[in-house]
Structures are given as C-alpha cells and as structure tokens.
C-alpha cells in the first residue's frame, strides 16, 4: 500500500461519524500497567504536598500499597516526605534535574555540551538585548507590546525562561566530578 492510498476500512466522506461513546474513556486507559508504573506516573505529577490517600486514589491502588511505594520512592529521592498529620508527599524536582543532567552527560560529549551551552547563552543574550533587561521577569508586556503583539512577547519571554533552564542544566552537566566517571574541567 502506498502512503497516498486510502485504507479500505476508511469511511466514506459522506458516511456516519464514529460513535465515540463506544470508545474506552481515557481514565480507564490510564489504569492499565503495573501499580509501580501508575504510582510513578502519579508522583511525577504531584507538585504540591499530597496525602497518601489522594495519591492512592489517583493511582487506583489501596493506601497501604501506595504508602509502601512512596517509602521506596522517598528512599530513591523521587519524592519528599513531609512530616505532619497526615503525612504528605511531593515530587522532588532536584531529583528530576539530576536525572536530566545525567541524561545530558550520557547523550553528549563534553565538547557537545560546551557547544550547546554556548549556543544557549547566545540565545539568552539575544533576548536580553531585544528587551534591554537582564531577566525575563523584568520584561513589561505593556511596554514591549508597543512593537509586537502580546502573544509574541509572551512566547519570547517563555522561550527565554526555557533557555535559562536549559543553560543551567547544560552548565551542571559540564562541571567537574561527573558521576559517570568523566572528571575534568571544561572551559565554556
């Protein structure tokens, strides 16, 4: 079959639309997989202190099972346990940053990291020059929208913030004492 061919089971243009009520709801599709996978999916979304029972409900498991996994995830550093009554958990963003830095170190050579960091810093500098401020938080949408649409400014500020985060991750990946055993200094 050529990519431009129409599959035989395709309905005619004037045919009946599909009956979406017969499809499985997204909530049901997400309940598939092991409890560990569901728990990990849930804890990666927990951005504020959340009770064990709420996490268990979202992962579709009992509270004791959730508590066991949460203890394990706490030991691994994936989540933080917040003491108090009731005990609550939240995602550990520094763990995610560490994982991203390690991923960068595995995917890129030191020279590639330095090159990407330079490109990223150049793009940050271009935003600084465009808006004549040192930080994306200093950009006034009102003042900047005189020359461009608010949407364009908003997108540029968002891009600038993303670039700053990328630069921080690349810089962390570039530094000495790399856990992967590649120690050494690289000048950027």
């Amino acid at each position: 079959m050529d990519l431009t061919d129409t599959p035989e089971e395709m309905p005619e243009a004037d045919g009946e639309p599909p009956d979406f009520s017969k499809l499985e709801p997204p909530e049901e599709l997400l309940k598939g997989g092991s409890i560990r996978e569901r728990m990990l999916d849930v804890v990666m979304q927990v951005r504020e202190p959340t009770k064990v029972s709420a996490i268990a409900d979202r992962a579709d498991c009992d509270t004791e099972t959730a508590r066991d996994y949460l203890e394990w995830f706490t030991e691994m550093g994936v989540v933080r346990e917040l003491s108090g009554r009731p005990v609550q958990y939240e995602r550990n963003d520094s763990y995610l940053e560490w994982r991203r830095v390690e991923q960068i170190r595995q995917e890129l050579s030191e020279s590639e990291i330095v090159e990407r960091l330079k490109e990223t810093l150049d793009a940050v500098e271009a935003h600084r020059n465009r808006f004549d401020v040192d930080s994306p938080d200093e950009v006034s949408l009102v003042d900047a929208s005189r020359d461009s649409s608010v949407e364009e400014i908003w997108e540029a500020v968002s891009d600038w913030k993303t670039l700053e985060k990328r630069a921080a991750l690349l810089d962390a990946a570039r530094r000495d004492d790399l856990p992967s055993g590649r120690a050494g200094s690289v000048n950027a």
Side-chain angles (χ1 to χ4, degrees):
M1 178 201 291
D2 185 84
L3 290 176
T4 58
D5 290 344
T6 303
E8 292 175 19
E9 64 271 0
M10 281 289 286
E12 296 296 322
D14 58 351
E16 293 282 321
D19 183 4
F20 292 110
S21 66
K22 291 182 180 178
L23 296 176
E24 197 170 357
E27 303 83 41
E28 292 301 315
L29 291 173
L30 295 175
K31 289 185 179 180
S34 69
I35 293 173
R36 181 184 56 130
E37 289 170 342
R38 295 192 315 261
M39 282 292 298
L40 188 57
D41 285 344
V42 170
V43 298
M44 286 294 112
Q45 298 171 35
V46 174
R47 294 191 169 125
E48 58 188 37
T50 306
K51 298 187 306 187
V52 175
S53 59
I55 293 171
D57 287 344
R58 288 173 56 188
D60 192 34
C61 68
D62 65 86
T63 305
E64 284 308 309
T65 301
R67 193 178 320 278
D68 290 341
Y69 277 104
L70 288 166
E71 287 176 13
W72 183 47
F73 290 149
T74 301
E75 288 176 22
M76 289 177 28
V78 176
V79 296
R80 288 191 189 109
E81 179 181 325
L82 306 170
S83 59
R85 295 250 187 244
V87 173
Q88 296 182 336
Y89 292 86
E90 67 183 356
R91 182 180 72 191
N92 181 359
D93 288 333
S94 59
Y95 171 81
L96 295 176
E97 284 180 24
W98 170 80
R99 287 288 308 256
R100 183 63 185 126
V101 166
E102 286 304 305
Q103 184 180 22
I104 291 168
R105 288 176 178 159
Q106 290 173 1
E107 292 175 1
L108 302 174
S109 69
E110 290 180 19
S111 61
E112 290 171 322
I113 291 171
V114 170
E115 182 59 31
R116 292 217 182 148
L117 178 57
K118 182 183 178 325
E119 291 167 0
T120 303
L121 292 174
D122 288 347
V124 166
E125 188 62 28
H127 283 296
R128 283 190 183 122
N129 292 336
R130 174 181 178 186
F131 295 107
D132 197 28
V133 294
D134 292 328
S135 164
D137 295 329
E138 296 175 34
V139 174
S140 165
L141 289 176
V142 173
D143 293 341
S145 66
R146 292 184 183 133
D147 299 324
S148 302
S149 72
V150 172
E151 291 81 13
E152 278 184 82
I153 303 303
W154 187 259
E155 189 174 318
V157 168
S158 178
D159 181 53
W160 188 357
K161 288 180 179 184
T162 300
L163 288 166
E164 286 188 337
K165 288 178 185 174
R166 183 179 303 146
L169 290 171
L170 287 164
D171 188 47
R174 174 200 62 82
R175 287 189 224 130
D176 288 347
D177 302 323
L178 304 178
S180 62
R182 294 182 304 150
S185 177
V186 177
N187 295 323

